Structures are given as structure tokens and as C-alpha cells.
Amino acid sequence: MIALSSQMGQEEKKCREAGFDGFLSKPVRRKKLYQLLDRMLGKRRDGDKKDEAEAHKIMSPDSIREKINHAVRVLLVEDNPVNRKPAGLMLTKAGYQVEMAHNGLEAVRKFTEAPKKYDLIFMDIQMPQMDGTEATKAIREKGFDAIPIVAMTAHAMKGDREKFLKAGMTDYLTKPIRREEIFSTIRKWVS
Ligand code: MN
């Protein structure tokens, strides 16, 4: 929280004591504002001081990103609840809108019913009824070329990458899925 005041002197000290994180005197100069934002956001980035991170949450890069993320809708296709639940939670907490499917058939149905609803699909490979490769082929065969489909697989073997790409997948992640990987993949494919 940044205090804005046209009064100088003691005012800044008073504001800090009241709990403001920063102080700007009016009229606000562009350079001063940017420097202050940099300093405040940077603090969050460097520190693993949790309380401070919490206190700065409103201004943190994460919460700004969260607002942007909110517009991104992900279809998470995974049969195993042990993987599905934490991945779903991770995405939801980061601000993404998440729809789940439990197998390939459900994924194809959910996606083709409302293709405009989704910006990206995370697709598990090994699933009952219809696996991820088949589901991806089915979606591509229906003419949906643009939707990024990212494979998730536990044991990436040599030649898997080629197999996935040939099936029409856009990218792939190796399980266990790590937070940063999942987010950077979304940023990479959803503009
Ligand atoms: Mn599976």
C-alpha cells in the first residue's frame, strides 16, 4: 500500500508507522513511481520471508499475474486423482480457470462441446477408455488445430517426443509435474 501525499516532512514517517509500505509525494513523478514499484515488487521476488510476502500480496507479481491468469481456461485431463487434485489446485490457486476430465473420451467430449471455452489442454497419456494420444488425434481430426495440447507423462522414453508430436500434441511435460514447468508451459503457448 502506497501513501500519496502532497505534504512532506513528518508525513512519510507517520504513514510508515500507520502501515503503508511506500510513500510518494504529489505530484507523483513517473520515475519515482516506477522506482518504488520496482523496489516493492523486487522485495517479494528476492525474499522467502513468508510474512512479508503475505503482507505484500496485493502488490506482488504473483497477484498481478493471477489477474491475468484468470482469463486463461485450462482443460486438465488426468485419470489419477492423486495427480489430478494437486495439479488442479495448483492451477486454480494461480488464478487459472480449470475444467477437469477423467479420461480421453470425456476430454474429447468436453472440448468439442465448447471448443472456444478452452485455451490449453493438459493431457495425461495413460488413461482408461481412451488414452491421451488417441484423444489428441480425435480432437485434431475434428479440425481443431489451434488449441495447444500438452502431454503429461510419467516415463518419457526415447522416441516419445516424436510420438506425441506426431499424434498432434504441441508440447509435453514429464511427471511429476513441477509448478514452474506447468506455469511456464501455459505462458509459452497461451498468448
Ligand atoms: Mn494416467
Side-chain angles (χ1 to χ4, degrees):
M1 200 180 292
I2 302 174
L4 301 169
S5 173
S6 47
Q7 286 178 6
M8 302 289 283
Q10 283 296 91
E11 199 73 0
E12 179 167 359
K13 193 166 168 263
K14 263 199 286 183
C15 289
R16 289 202 185 280
E17 282 166 4
F20 282 101
D21 305 291
F23 182 88
L24 284 173
S25 52
K26 289 195 272 191
V28 174
R29 312 296 305 183
R30 181 196 298 242
K31 203 176 159 198
K32 279 261 159 65
L33 173 64
Y34 286 173
Q35 280 173 348
L36 184 62
L37 287 175
D38 261 1
R39 208 166 67 225
M40 293 174 74
L41 299 177
K43 213 192 256 173
R44 171 70 205 275
R45 251 175 249 134
D46 309 333
D48 49 358
K49 293 169 261 174
K50 259 207 165 160
D51 291 344
E52 192 167 69
E54 210 54 44
H56 288 265
K57 207 170 179 189
I58 289 169
M59 289 301 297
S60 75
D62 280 359
S63 72
I64 292 166
R65 193 178 289 150
E66 205 171 289
K67 288 206 171 60
I68 301 166
N69 292 353
H70 206 77
V72 178
R73 288 153 305 179
V74 173
L75 180 59
L76 177 63
V77 190
E78 165 71 64
D79 64 308
N80 188 344
V82 172
N83 296 325
R84 190 176 58 240
K85 282 179 184 162
L89 201 63
M90 197 191 284
L91 289 164
T92 309
K93 277 176 92 176
Y96 296 105
Q97 295 188 47
V98 186
E99 183 82 34
M100 314 262 198
H102 301 70
N103 58 60
L105 271 182
E106 199 186 342
V108 174
R109 182 177 57 76
K110 280 199 166 166
F111 177 75
T112 52
E113 269 173 14
K116 288 209 173 86
K117 202 173 145 187
Y118 303 103
D119 298 298
L120 184 139
I121 302 174
F122 282 114
M123 184 80 82
D124 181 29
I125 296 296
Q126 283 90 27
M127 289 185 290
Q129 296 186 63
M130 182 189 266
D131 72 16
T133 312
E134 291 305 313
T136 301
K137 279 186 192 157
I139 288 170
R140 295 302 187 215
E141 273 163 17
K142 289 176 196 290
F144 299 105
D145 300 326
I147 181 83
I149 303 178
V150 179
M152 301 184 294
T153 178
H155 26 75
M157 309 221 225
K158 204 164 172 279
D160 268 1
R161 196 188 130 81
E162 286 66 31
K163 206 171 75 193
F164 297 152
L165 297 183
K166 207 173 157 226
M169 275 156 167
T170 318
D171 202 351
Y172 80 98
L173 289 176
T174 312
K175 288 196 231 179
I177 305 293
R178 284 201 303 273
R179 234 181 107 75
E180 262 323 301
E181 274 180 344
I182 210 166
F183 297 149
S184 66
T185 303
I186 296 174
R187 287 199 291 274
K188 183 171 160 194
W189 296 111
V190 181
S191 49

